[in-house]
Amino acid sequence: MSDTVVDGRILTAGAIISGLNKGSKIIYNARPYGHYYRTVMDLVPRSERFLVLGYGWRDPHVNMWIEESIALRRPQSAVVTYLPGADVGDDTPQNRYIQKLAGQETWSRIKNSAYAPMSPEDDVAPYKIDGHIAVFPQGFVLDNDAEAALLSFFSV
């Protein structure tokens, strides 16, 4: 942890995930931010598998490298997040990036069923697996069946 203060603003290095003022935090705190982004740059484009846990898709520094990985070869990807059923068809950052990971053809097949049910009565699977993409739309905590499906998806 640092106690870096610049122009009266605290730019602490306490958390890697921080929505606002990330640019300033990166400049004044090489640790952990510089190392975090360097790791993303080094590993994401070369990774054949992604496990995305609760990422909001709003960091252009990370998203750029995810897009580079997709351009090189589409990685086998599992996304565990909350995808509310009310968001079906919405143009959110999360929906756009899951679509990019899935690919247009695959996303067209699963896009209406890859969301959490809107009510308990809805007959929707707690996860959707299609080829190289797995979507677990109800977030954490995964039930035993979903956890087993996630582990099986990556152990092929």
Side-chain angles (χ1 to χ4, degrees):
M1 298 274 298
S2 74
D3 294 315
T4 304
V5 177
V6 177
D7 294 331
R9 290 185 10 215
I10 297 172
L11 300 174
T12 184
I16 290 177
I17 301 169
S18 66
L20 302 174
N21 302 315
K22 197 176 297 177
S24 299
K25 290 181 179 184
I26 293 168
I27 291 168
Y28 292 104
N29 297 286
R31 277 177 255 139
Y33 292 102
H35 298 288
Y36 169 66
Y37 284 120
R38 178 60 190 245
T39 300
V40 168
M41 289 169 32
D42 287 345
L43 296 179
V44 169
R46 296 185 292 138
S47 296
E48 296 179 9
R49 296 177 182 186
F50 288 166
L51 175 58
V52 182
L53 302 171
Y55 178 52
W57 308 97
R58 288 182 174 85
D59 187 331
H61 303 90
V62 173
N63 293 348
M64 176 182 67
W65 293 107
I66 291 171
E67 289 186 29
E68 179 66 9
S69 179
I70 293 167
L72 294 170
R73 83 190 130 326
R74 192 172 309 280
Q76 181 178 357
S77 304
V79 180
V80 180
T81 190
Y82 179 59
L83 274 176
D87 284 359
V88 172
D90 285 354
D91 185 26
T92 65
Q94 180 163 249
N95 288 352
R96 282 194 304 273
Y97 278 94
I98 293 173
Q99 176 180 340
K100 287 178 183 186
L101 286 170
Q104 185 60 47
E105 184 179 321
T106 302
W107 186 244
S108 292
R109 280 195 306 269
I110 68 170
K111 66 182 176 183
N112 292 328
S113 60
Y115 290 81
M118 293 179 65
S119 69
E121 302 85 43
D122 289 347
D123 187 25
V124 178
Y127 56 87
K128 191 70 175 178
I129 297 175
D130 190 313
H132 61 277
I133 187 81
V135 180
F136 296 80
Q138 296 182 42
F140 293 103
V141 169
L142 297 178
D143 64 25
N144 290 339
D145 290 340
E147 184 178 321
L150 177 61
L151 292 172
S152 175
F153 177 73
F154 276 127
S155 63
V156 179

